[in-house]
Amino acid sequence: MAMAARSATSTSISLATDNTPTTNRTPLLAPALPAKDDATTDESELKRSVDQYKHIFAIHSQPRTSTLSHDSVDSPSFIGFRNLMVLVLIVGNLRLVIENYMKYGVLVHLSGSEFRRDDLKMFFLLYALIPTHLFVGFLIELVASIHARGAKAKNQKADIKDPKLRVAWRIIAFAHVVNATLSLGVANWVVYYKIHHPLIGTFCEFHAVIVWLKQLSYALTNRDLRDAFLASAPTPPLYASAPYPTNITLSNLSYFWWAPTLVYQPVYPRSPSFRWSFFLKRVGEVIALSITIWFLSAQYAVPVLQNSVTAMGKMDVVVVLERLMKLSTISLVIWLAGFFALFQSGLNALAECLKFGDREFYTDWWNSGSVGTYWKTWNKPVNHFMRRHLYAPLQGRGWSSQSASIVVFTFSAILHELLVGVPTHNIIGVAFAGMMFQIPLVALTVPLEKMRGSASVIGNAIFWISFCLVGQPLAALVYWFTWQAKFGGGGERGYGLA
Amino acid sequence: MAMAARSATSTSISLATDNTPTTNRTPLLAPALPAKDDATTDESELKRSVDQYKHIFAIHSQPRTSTLSHDSVDSPSFIGFRNLMVLVLIVGNLRLVIENYMKYGVLVHLSGSEFRRDDLKMFFLLYALIPTHLFVGFLIELVASIHARGAKAKNQKADIKDPKLRVAWRIIAFAHVVNATLSLGVANWVVYYKIHHPLIGTFCEFHAVIVWLKQLSYALTNRDLRDAFLASAPTPPLYASAPYPTNITLSNLSYFWWAPTLVYQPVYPRSPSFRWSFFLKRVGEVIALSITIWFLSAQYAVPVLQNSVTAMGKMDVVVVLERLMKLSTISLVIWLAGFFALFQSGLNALAECLKFGDREFYTDWWNSGSVGTYWKTWNKPVNHFMRRHLYAPLQGRGWSSQSASIVVFTFSAILHELLVGVPTHNIIGVAFAGMMFQIPLVALTVPLEKMRGSASVIGNAIFWISFCLVGQPLAALVYWFTWQAKFGGGGERGYGLA
């Protein structure tokens, strides 16, 4: 009772702490109070007394535990330390920015001279010619559809085992294989032998692989649509507006050519309208992020890579580790910016132009509790392709999910090696091995994700470390090193650094 | 309906994503379905069909937004990025550890030679003699209590304005002032002129200031208890087991001498028992953290400070800023370790020995939404002293809370200057100015704390930046620089670094 009075006074004091008890809990271990008859008089008298004699009030009025002790009942919030973490991260990296500036000054410079004229010529040639293979695929399908229409006209429920038809479908399939193989083969040959600059080569290689995957999807989907058409089997209701073979048109293929997907469907869900403001914002993001990535690469990534070459040559493990750690932060930032530029801004801008409705190009892969979840969620277009044209068909043939997954990762590993090895003129198998290494990592982190609490944090940490903090910078270092070993300093090609 | 069947199939595929729709929401923008009579047959037929023709199912079945788009209804979790932040922080600082090792090797070395024999002699002398002033204070109070007892015996309700008594109390007060001033004065003179090493000096200075504050609290509390006794005014019920003047005993004072508080109370809340395991754990923490702090200082802080001297001399702002940022992380870690070692481990170990019940030596200051909250919560013993013996009495005399706060911060600023300036033999006013600068910072962040949401995050960020990321490392740099300017390289005193 007495303390309550005191507390009422002290709350008016701004130096008073929040946790001054406002109710008089009798101190648990305090000596028993002497019995009093009139509690109210006692209380007001005490209040007057402590008001007068400021130095006597009991500031230690009851037993209390320290906030961080295990005795403490309430576990405190640590949100302030999260804020501190962000600040330390900012300060630590700002310091590195200053250090970089003091060491190198400004490294970025605007000049087109780093690109050879021949490289650019090949670049435009490939960009113009590769898509023609898609249209060759269209012609093959057109022939097949005419053939199918004829067969259907003769016999309402065409026998799929009819030997004459089987020969026709085999010729069609063979034509597709030749067309697709030519498309990828020629592109790879040109990039490897005719395009020196790895950046131009990478653009061409990505384009070629994307078109190749679209060709495969177009051929495979239409084959099954044709089979279903001949067997009069139903197809998904979404396709009702363009049933086979009415989907085999130039405009239908052209939509698929540009659509932000690798999976062919006769019909796609569509968004209601084109929004200029949405489109322009996304394009603005792509431009801003591209400039950011270019600046970060030239100013921060290149010097680190450059400095690492000597260490890599000497195989000094500690130095390589130090370089790898320095590289990891900048490669992570570049990767995140690149992801956003491509999957959020770029594909959304493209989808907006085409009123393509399904914008789920990724889901929240950053929360992945396992490596497998990451691969399923970060790149939906490729994931969709693998699932529909590789994984599900293999499962349909009785393969186990493990075996089918291994095939998917192996296929993906080959594509990764092409995408990195061909433009850098170094098919050394590092990208392939990196992807194959995902198989045991996926297996390792599956049980972690299923557990709750800290285990999924561990799974998430394994994903970040393996992929962004070790895998990517290590691969960058290795390819940079082999590039330097094969082509020398590269100073004249814009990578120069004294 | 049809899609539901497909979904049931695809959930058995481990590459399938989580968000495959399990209910058939008719695609909003899909063409209208052709009317069918028998939905069930249609559904099972379609299921058979997509089971057979694996490449045709509609993977893009409905319009969906991208996770990071503003269109998106659910805002995604970003917990994965928090994990990433922690990892980047660890990797970035591990890299600096490697860099430091490659540059300096191991800098720490075990030798007692850095302490001068005379310094150690003075250290032990001060530790033995300073507390005697507490006992002189006890003798003064003993005389006063005998006097008060006599006055009370003569007159049940002694007149406080009795001129004879007033003279007596003035003599008592004067004796206390002389005693306390001597205690602090002698200690400061010895530390400034006779102890060269700043670490030994700092220990002595802290000890002297703590004992001095205890002396003040003992004298002021007993003066008010005596006044209340003479006026027969009530005192807090907690004190009932040792009412004035029965509290003026050697054992009562000895308890206060060692108790982890700066505020005298005749009686304290007590904990029920001494727990050996608790005590030993806390002592273990103090030892481990002290070694950590010593290692971190010698290996990481000293080289940065050493390297900064030239930049400070040239007043090169960019370089000084870079050094400050590099220093801030290590000084922050040292500060956090020191805080934990002293306020959590050290004071809890001491409290356990004395069965001191009130262990609230700090509350969750790291969450402070304003600078004021930080100063109220991080160091409760000093906050308690200021509140009881300076702030509340000033308010009692009619001072506004602002004015009283300014007095408290000024008093604290003087103490800070003593604690830092005297042991480093550089009374340059930086510590004083740093504390005085808190007054505008407190005023600035008060409105931020009252606002909700991001504003209190800003308040918290201002606290961390001003205190831990700028204030402390800047003060360390300045005092290190002036030390070097006054005493030279200091190589022979254990600070040597090539």
Side-chain angles (χ1 to χ4, degrees), chain A residues 140-160:
Chain A
I140 298 169
E141 279 305 318
L142 195 62
V143 170
S145 72
I146 293 165
H147 214 76
R149 227 189 266 264
K152 185 88 173 177
K154 269 191 264 173
N155 187 347
Q156 190 50 36
K157 204 133 185 171
D159 186 3
I160 209 159

PDB file of all heavy atoms in Angstrom, chain A residues 140-160:
ATOM      1  N   ILE A 140       6.413 -28.194 -89.376  1.00  0.00           N
ATOM      2  CA  ILE A 140       6.342 -29.641 -89.130  1.00  0.00           C
ATOM      3  C   ILE A 140       4.995 -29.988 -88.507  1.00  0.00           C
ATOM      4  O   ILE A 140       4.308 -30.931 -88.925  1.00  0.00           O
ATOM      5  CB  ILE A 140       7.498 -30.084 -88.206  1.00  0.00           C
ATOM      6  CG1 ILE A 140       8.852 -29.820 -88.879  1.00  0.00           C
ATOM      7  CG2 ILE A 140       7.356 -31.561 -87.835  1.00  0.00           C
ATOM      8  CD1 ILE A 140      10.056 -29.986 -87.948  1.00  0.00           C
ATOM      9  N   GLU A 141       4.594 -29.193 -87.513  1.00  0.00           N
ATOM     10  CA  GLU A 141       3.324 -29.451 -86.832  1.00  0.00           C
ATOM     11  C   GLU A 141       2.132 -29.234 -87.765  1.00  0.00           C
ATOM     12  O   GLU A 141       1.112 -29.911 -87.661  1.00  0.00           O
ATOM     13  CB  GLU A 141       3.185 -28.560 -85.590  1.00  0.00           C
ATOM     14  CG  GLU A 141       3.926 -29.087 -84.369  1.00  0.00           C
ATOM     15  CD  GLU A 141       3.519 -30.513 -83.996  1.00  0.00           C
ATOM     16  OE1 GLU A 141       2.312 -30.845 -84.030  1.00  0.00           O
ATOM     17  OE2 GLU A 141       4.429 -31.311 -83.690  1.00  0.00           O
ATOM     18  N   LEU A 142       2.295 -28.256 -88.671  1.00  0.00           N
ATOM     19  CA  LEU A 142       1.216 -27.985 -89.617  1.00  0.00           C
ATOM     20  C   LEU A 142       0.984 -29.222 -90.496  1.00  0.00           C
ATOM     21  O   LEU A 142      -0.157 -29.680 -90.689  1.00  0.00           O
ATOM     22  CB  LEU A 142       1.573 -26.766 -90.482  1.00  0.00           C
ATOM     23  CG  LEU A 142       0.431 -26.135 -91.275  1.00  0.00           C
ATOM     24  CD1 LEU A 142      -0.651 -25.618 -90.332  1.00  0.00           C
ATOM     25  CD2 LEU A 142       0.965 -25.005 -92.152  1.00  0.00           C
ATOM     26  N   VAL A 143       2.079 -29.790 -91.004  1.00  0.00           N
ATOM     27  CA  VAL A 143       1.996 -31.021 -91.795  1.00  0.00           C
ATOM     28  C   VAL A 143       1.339 -32.125 -90.965  1.00  0.00           C
ATOM     29  O   VAL A 143       0.415 -32.813 -91.425  1.00  0.00           O
ATOM     30  CB  VAL A 143       3.406 -31.452 -92.271  1.00  0.00           C
ATOM     31  CG1 VAL A 143       3.366 -32.845 -92.891  1.00  0.00           C
ATOM     32  CG2 VAL A 143       3.976 -30.424 -93.242  1.00  0.00           C
ATOM     33  N   ALA A 144       1.812 -32.270 -89.740  1.00  0.00           N
ATOM     34  CA  ALA A 144       1.280 -33.326 -88.867  1.00  0.00           C
ATOM     35  C   ALA A 144      -0.208 -33.121 -88.639  1.00  0.00           C
ATOM     36  O   ALA A 144      -1.003 -34.085 -88.641  1.00  0.00           O
ATOM     37  CB  ALA A 144       2.027 -33.333 -87.538  1.00  0.00           C
ATOM     38  N   SER A 145      -0.624 -31.868 -88.446  1.00  0.00           N
ATOM     39  CA  SER A 145      -2.038 -31.610 -88.146  1.00  0.00           C
ATOM     40  C   SER A 145      -2.926 -31.919 -89.356  1.00  0.00           C
ATOM     41  O   SER A 145      -4.028 -32.437 -89.198  1.00  0.00           O
ATOM     42  CB  SER A 145      -2.237 -30.163 -87.677  1.00  0.00           C
ATOM     43  OG  SER A 145      -2.082 -29.278 -88.766  1.00  0.00           O
ATOM     44  N   ILE A 146      -2.395 -31.599 -90.551  1.00  0.00           N
ATOM     45  CA  ILE A 146      -3.156 -31.921 -91.765  1.00  0.00           C
ATOM     46  C   ILE A 146      -3.324 -33.433 -91.876  1.00  0.00           C
ATOM     47  O   ILE A 146      -4.413 -33.962 -92.123  1.00  0.00           O
ATOM     48  CB  ILE A 146      -2.448 -31.340 -93.016  1.00  0.00           C
ATOM     49  CG1 ILE A 146      -2.499 -29.804 -92.959  1.00  0.00           C
ATOM     50  CG2 ILE A 146      -3.071 -31.867 -94.303  1.00  0.00           C
ATOM     51  CD1 ILE A 146      -1.537 -29.119 -93.913  1.00  0.00           C
ATOM     52  N   HIS A 147      -2.222 -34.117 -91.604  1.00  0.00           N
ATOM     53  CA  HIS A 147      -2.225 -35.574 -91.612  1.00  0.00           C
ATOM     54  C   HIS A 147      -3.227 -36.131 -90.602  1.00  0.00           C
ATOM     55  O   HIS A 147      -4.006 -37.037 -90.900  1.00  0.00           O
ATOM     56  CB  HIS A 147      -0.812 -36.040 -91.261  1.00  0.00           C
ATOM     57  CG  HIS A 147      -0.427 -37.305 -91.959  1.00  0.00           C
ATOM     58  ND1 HIS A 147      -0.068 -37.351 -93.290  1.00  0.00           N
ATOM     59  CD2 HIS A 147      -0.363 -38.590 -91.514  1.00  0.00           C
ATOM     60  CE1 HIS A 147       0.212 -38.590 -93.637  1.00  0.00           C
ATOM     61  NE2 HIS A 147       0.035 -39.372 -92.566  1.00  0.00           N
ATOM     62  N   ALA A 148      -3.220 -35.554 -89.413  1.00  0.00           N
ATOM     63  CA  ALA A 148      -4.106 -36.028 -88.337  1.00  0.00           C
ATOM     64  C   ALA A 148      -5.565 -35.756 -88.691  1.00  0.00           C
ATOM     65  O   ALA A 148      -6.452 -36.585 -88.469  1.00  0.00           O
ATOM     66  CB  ALA A 148      -3.740 -35.335 -87.028  1.00  0.00           C
ATOM     67  N   ARG A 149      -5.817 -34.563 -89.235  1.00  0.00           N
ATOM     68  CA  ARG A 149      -7.166 -34.197 -89.635  1.00  0.00           C
ATOM     69  C   ARG A 149      -7.701 -35.223 -90.659  1.00  0.00           C
ATOM     70  O   ARG A 149      -8.848 -35.685 -90.554  1.00  0.00           O
ATOM     71  CB  ARG A 149      -7.145 -32.817 -90.281  1.00  0.00           C
ATOM     72  CG  ARG A 149      -8.219 -31.887 -89.771  1.00  0.00           C
ATOM     73  CD  ARG A 149      -8.254 -30.650 -90.626  1.00  0.00           C
ATOM     74  NE  ARG A 149      -7.432 -29.560 -90.092  1.00  0.00           N
ATOM     75  CZ  ARG A 149      -7.937 -28.588 -89.346  1.00  0.00           C
ATOM     76  NH1 ARG A 149      -9.213 -28.579 -89.016  1.00  0.00           N
ATOM     77  NH2 ARG A 149      -7.170 -27.626 -88.909  1.00  0.00           N
ATOM     78  N   GLY A 150      -6.817 -35.593 -91.615  1.00  0.00           N
ATOM     79  CA  GLY A 150      -7.189 -36.562 -92.637  1.00  0.00           C
ATOM     80  C   GLY A 150      -7.516 -37.914 -92.024  1.00  0.00           C
ATOM     81  O   GLY A 150      -8.550 -38.524 -92.343  1.00  0.00           O
ATOM     82  N   ALA A 151      -6.649 -38.374 -91.132  1.00  0.00           N
ATOM     83  CA  ALA A 151      -6.852 -39.678 -90.488  1.00  0.00           C
ATOM     84  C   ALA A 151      -8.162 -39.691 -89.724  1.00  0.00           C
ATOM     85  O   ALA A 151      -8.929 -40.662 -89.748  1.00  0.00           O
ATOM     86  CB  ALA A 151      -5.680 -39.986 -89.557  1.00  0.00           C
ATOM     87  N   LYS A 152      -8.397 -38.562 -89.016  1.00  0.00           N
ATOM     88  CA  LYS A 152      -9.612 -38.441 -88.195  1.00  0.00           C
ATOM     89  C   LYS A 152     -10.861 -38.467 -89.081  1.00  0.00           C
ATOM     90  O   LYS A 152     -11.874 -39.064 -88.723  1.00  0.00           O
ATOM     91  CB  LYS A 152      -9.552 -37.135 -87.410  1.00  0.00           C
ATOM     92  CG  LYS A 152     -10.676 -36.925 -86.445  1.00  0.00           C
ATOM     93  CD  LYS A 152     -10.364 -37.529 -85.081  1.00  0.00           C
ATOM     94  CE  LYS A 152     -11.438 -37.141 -84.084  1.00  0.00           C
ATOM     95  NZ  LYS A 152     -11.207 -37.760 -82.787  1.00  0.00           N
ATOM     96  N   ALA A 153     -10.777 -37.820 -90.251  1.00  0.00           N
ATOM     97  CA  ALA A 153     -11.916 -37.753 -91.164  1.00  0.00           C
ATOM     98  C   ALA A 153     -12.282 -39.151 -91.655  1.00  0.00           C
ATOM     99  O   ALA A 153     -13.461 -39.489 -91.778  1.00  0.00           O
ATOM    100  CB  ALA A 153     -11.585 -36.841 -92.340  1.00  0.00           C
ATOM    101  N   LYS A 154     -11.222 -39.961 -91.884  1.00  0.00           N
ATOM    102  CA  LYS A 154     -11.458 -41.322 -92.366  1.00  0.00           C
ATOM    103  C   LYS A 154     -12.068 -42.193 -91.278  1.00  0.00           C
ATOM    104  O   LYS A 154     -12.925 -43.025 -91.514  1.00  0.00           O
ATOM    105  CB  LYS A 154     -10.125 -41.947 -92.813  1.00  0.00           C
ATOM    106  CG  LYS A 154      -9.826 -41.695 -94.306  1.00  0.00           C
ATOM    107  CD  LYS A 154      -8.662 -42.536 -94.778  1.00  0.00           C
ATOM    108  CE  LYS A 154      -7.388 -41.726 -94.729  1.00  0.00           C
ATOM    109  NZ  LYS A 154      -6.179 -42.502 -95.025  1.00  0.00           N
ATOM    110  N   ASN A 155     -11.603 -42.006 -90.073  1.00  0.00           N
ATOM    111  CA  ASN A 155     -11.962 -42.931 -88.995  1.00  0.00           C
ATOM    112  C   ASN A 155     -12.166 -42.106 -87.722  1.00  0.00           C
ATOM    113  O   ASN A 155     -11.237 -41.481 -87.208  1.00  0.00           O
ATOM    114  CB  ASN A 155     -10.796 -43.924 -88.826  1.00  0.00           C
ATOM    115  CG  ASN A 155     -11.155 -45.021 -87.842  1.00  0.00           C
ATOM    116  OD1 ASN A 155     -12.140 -44.921 -87.129  1.00  0.00           O
ATOM    117  ND2 ASN A 155     -10.348 -46.068 -87.840  1.00  0.00           N
ATOM    118  N   GLN A 156     -13.417 -42.091 -87.235  1.00  0.00           N
ATOM    119  CA  GLN A 156     -13.722 -41.195 -86.110  1.00  0.00           C
ATOM    120  C   GLN A 156     -12.815 -41.447 -84.908  1.00  0.00           C
ATOM    121  O   GLN A 156     -12.324 -40.520 -84.283  1.00  0.00           O
ATOM    122  CB  GLN A 156     -15.212 -41.330 -85.715  1.00  0.00           C
ATOM    123  CG  GLN A 156     -15.702 -40.280 -84.721  1.00  0.00           C
ATOM    124  CD  GLN A 156     -15.338 -38.849 -85.160  1.00  0.00           C
ATOM    125  OE1 GLN A 156     -15.345 -38.519 -86.342  1.00  0.00           O
ATOM    126  NE2 GLN A 156     -14.957 -38.014 -84.209  1.00  0.00           N
ATOM    127  N   LYS A 157     -12.584 -42.728 -84.582  1.00  0.00           N
ATOM    128  CA  LYS A 157     -11.668 -43.039 -83.473  1.00  0.00           C
ATOM    129  C   LYS A 157     -10.447 -43.730 -84.087  1.00  0.00           C
ATOM    130  O   LYS A 157     -10.404 -44.950 -84.221  1.00  0.00           O
ATOM    131  CB  LYS A 157     -12.355 -43.937 -82.439  1.00  0.00           C
ATOM    132  CG  LYS A 157     -11.733 -43.842 -81.054  1.00  0.00           C
ATOM    133  CD  LYS A 157     -12.793 -43.680 -79.945  1.00  0.00           C
ATOM    134  CE  LYS A 157     -12.163 -43.455 -78.589  1.00  0.00           C
ATOM    135  NZ  LYS A 157     -13.168 -43.084 -77.582  1.00  0.00           N
ATOM    136  N   ALA A 158      -9.459 -42.913 -84.498  1.00  0.00           N
ATOM    137  CA  ALA A 158      -8.300 -43.436 -85.232  1.00  0.00           C
ATOM    138  C   ALA A 158      -7.512 -44.394 -84.355  1.00  0.00           C
ATOM    139  O   ALA A 158      -7.312 -44.140 -83.162  1.00  0.00           O
ATOM    140  CB  ALA A 158      -7.413 -42.290 -85.669  1.00  0.00           C
ATOM    141  N   ASP A 159      -7.059 -45.492 -84.931  1.00  0.00           N
ATOM    142  CA  ASP A 159      -6.255 -46.456 -84.178  1.00  0.00           C
ATOM    143  C   ASP A 159      -4.830 -45.942 -84.113  1.00  0.00           C
ATOM    144  O   ASP A 159      -4.137 -45.759 -85.118  1.00  0.00           O
ATOM    145  CB  ASP A 159      -6.300 -47.823 -84.876  1.00  0.00           C
ATOM    146  CG  ASP A 159      -5.594 -48.877 -84.025  1.00  0.00           C
ATOM    147  OD1 ASP A 159      -5.150 -48.523 -82.900  1.00  0.00           O
ATOM    148  OD2 ASP A 159      -5.483 -50.014 -84.488  1.00  0.00           O
ATOM    149  N   ILE A 160      -4.377 -45.715 -82.883  1.00  0.00           N
ATOM    150  CA  ILE A 160      -3.045 -45.141 -82.694  1.00  0.00           C
ATOM    151  C   ILE A 160      -1.956 -46.126 -83.114  1.00  0.00           C
ATOM    152  O   ILE A 160      -0.810 -45.743 -83.357  1.00  0.00           O
ATOM    153  CB  ILE A 160      -2.893 -44.680 -81.227  1.00  0.00           C
ATOM    154  CG1 ILE A 160      -1.918 -43.496 -81.171  1.00  0.00           C
ATOM    155  CG2 ILE A 160      -2.426 -45.803 -80.325  1.00  0.00           C
ATOM    156  CD1 ILE A 160      -2.072 -42.688 -79.941  1.00  0.00           C
TER     157      ILE A 160
END
